[in-house]
Amino acid sequence: MTEHPGQLFAAGPRLRPEEVPALTAVALRDAGINLHGGKIEFLQARLSRRVTAHGLESFTDYARLLERDAAERREFVEALTTHTTSFFREGAQYRWLEITGLAALEQARQHHRGDLVIWSAACSTGPEGWSALMVTERARRMQTMQRRFRLIGTDISRRVLKTAADAVYPAAEVAGVPVEMRRLFLLSSRSGDARCRIVPELRTLAQWRQANLVEGTGLDGIEADIAFLRNVLIYFDAPTQAAVIDRVVRRLRPGGYLFTGHTETAFRHPELTPLGPSIYRKDER
Ligand SMILES: C[S@@+](CC[C@H](N)C(=O)[O-])C[C@H]1O[C@@H](n2cnc3c(N)ncnc32)[C@H](O)[C@@H]1O
């Protein structure tokens, strides 16, 4: 085992600068993740466990393994992606939806048959989509809205999708859910282990599937009335961001809304009109 200054326990091989490009190339090719020319500490921290799990002696060996092992490429993408999310994150967007957005959407959809669709396009473990579904379902129960919404959540990571579908969250994670929504849409665990589950009435309205926004795979048949594309564009370079935004806009019905993350660069798209901070409407044709 090699020892390095400042490291008490050397946890496997060190990543050398000349080994970085082979790894960033796979990240870009398989997930559109742009590591901006390196981020050597980031890669070291995220990938060391994968390298040692395979008993490899160098990151060069790991890059070779990635080329021949599709399952490991999936683990690689899992290791590089950040899944931070929370219920009612960027709460102003949900308030806007409740107070302003839903009524206008219902008006625009008066001749549409069937349920309306919320799409959480990089849904992580699900809180973004569940929060939106709580807002729309509560509006329906209060009869401020007649139409029912279904939820489609997509993500590149199968692991987070499983959590989303199980819909079980530690109590601390649901702390951001407003009290009334909690009463309507969360069940506390009977075993008293401080976990909550989304109620079956919402779970039956949701489906979760794997999709890659960069490759455009897994998106067939999605036609949304409300799309969330938040805190994922930051991974991509400018041309990829533009392609991903366009891919999402094409799956949004005219008059529908797009929500993006506050930290993501403002952008222009010929079919989108900004309605507020990080809130857009797709123009009617
Ligand atoms: C930081 S989380 C954001 C979750 C949620 N949208 C939010 O704002 O709370 C980013 C998510 O994007 C997903 N992701 C990264 N690259 C992706 C890609 N190419 N296609 C689909 N999802 C991707 C990650 O797996 C991760 O779950």
Side-chain angles (χ1 to χ4, degrees):
M1 203 180 275
T2 329
E3 288 204 1
H4 298 275
Q7 241 196 324
L8 283 178
F9 304 101
R14 296 297 298 170
L15 174 60
R16 288 176 281 123
E18 63 273 23
E19 293 176 309
V20 169
L23 298 171
T24 54
V26 182
L28 192 60
R29 188 190 68 202
D30 279 35
I33 297 170
N34 190 325
L35 291 158
H36 307 294
K39 290 195 176 171
I40 192 161
E41 293 82 10
F42 174 83
L43 286 167
Q44 174 82 50
R46 294 294 180 95
L47 298 177
S48 281
R49 206 171 291 166
R50 300 306 314 152
V51 176
T52 42
H54 287 281
L56 298 173
E57 301 213 324
S58 72
F59 281 83
T60 301
D61 291 346
Y62 184 62
R64 288 196 191 112
L65 175 69
L66 284 178
E67 288 309 322
R68 57 177 194 272
D69 186 338
E72 185 55 36
R73 284 200 294 280
R74 284 195 290 276
E75 292 296 333
F76 171 78
V77 170
E78 294 282 352
L80 293 187
T81 43
T82 301
H83 302 300
T84 308
T85 188
S86 55
F87 283 87
F88 290 89
R89 184 182 198 182
E90 300 182 9
Q93 293 182 336
Y94 295 100
R95 281 194 294 281
W96 179 87
L97 191 61
E98 189 170 16
I99 294 165
T100 310
L102 285 182
L105 190 58
E106 179 138 86
Q107 180 71 21
R109 294 291 183 265
Q110 51 184 312
H111 302 299
H112 176 88
R113 294 157 72 95
D115 294 341
L116 303 183
V117 173
I118 300 161
W119 176 24
S120 174
C123 63
S124 187
T125 52
E128 174 178 275
W130 290 129
S131 303
L133 197 57
M134 287 180 189
V135 169
T136 57
E137 191 55 18
R138 179 170 169 276
R140 197 179 68 90
R141 292 186 189 183
M142 306 261 300
Q143 299 192 332
T144 52
M145 161 136 218
Q146 309 301 316
R147 312 300 295 269
R148 205 174 60 164
F149 279 83
R150 288 185 297 111
L151 167 64
I152 300 175
T154 58
D155 201 283
I156 196 170
S157 159
R158 287 176 204 275
R159 208 166 288 162
V160 293
L161 290 167
K162 182 169 181 328
T163 305
D166 288 347
V168 176
Y169 300 93
E173 261 186 56
V174 300
V177 179
V179 175
E180 200 203 335
M181 303 278 196
R182 234 186 268 190
R183 194 175 53 74
L184 291 173
F185 301 122
L186 291 177
L187 300 169
S188 295
S189 154
R190 278 199 213 120
S191 58
D193 61 356
R195 288 188 305 160
C196 293
R197 190 169 197 197
I198 305 290
V199 293
E201 298 90 309
L202 288 198
R203 296 206 306 271
T204 57
L205 295 175
Q207 60 162 274
W208 307 93
R209 51 164 135 148
Q210 202 221 4
N212 186 330
L213 292 168
V214 173
E215 291 176 349
T217 50
L219 305 175
D220 290 353
I222 296 180
E223 271 191 287
D225 299 282
I226 299 172
F228 288 83
L229 180 65
R230 305 192 309 177
N231 306 304
V232 64
L233 293 171
I234 38 169
Y235 290 117
F236 311 141
D237 60 18
T240 310
Q241 287 184 356
V244 167
I245 291 164
D246 193 58
R247 197 160 279 140
V248 171
V249 171
R250 276 191 276 128
R251 285 166 178 80
L252 196 55
R253 292 188 185 113
Y257 304 130
L258 172 68
F259 296 96
T260 61
H262 283 313
T263 55
E264 281 148 327
T265 19
F267 57 87
R268 285 177 194 281
H269 185 285
E271 291 176 75
L272 291 179
T273 301
L275 299 179
S278 311
I279 303 174
Y280 302 82
R281 185 183 53 227
K282 179 167 175 176
D283 299 332
E284 303 280 352
R285 275 185 286 251

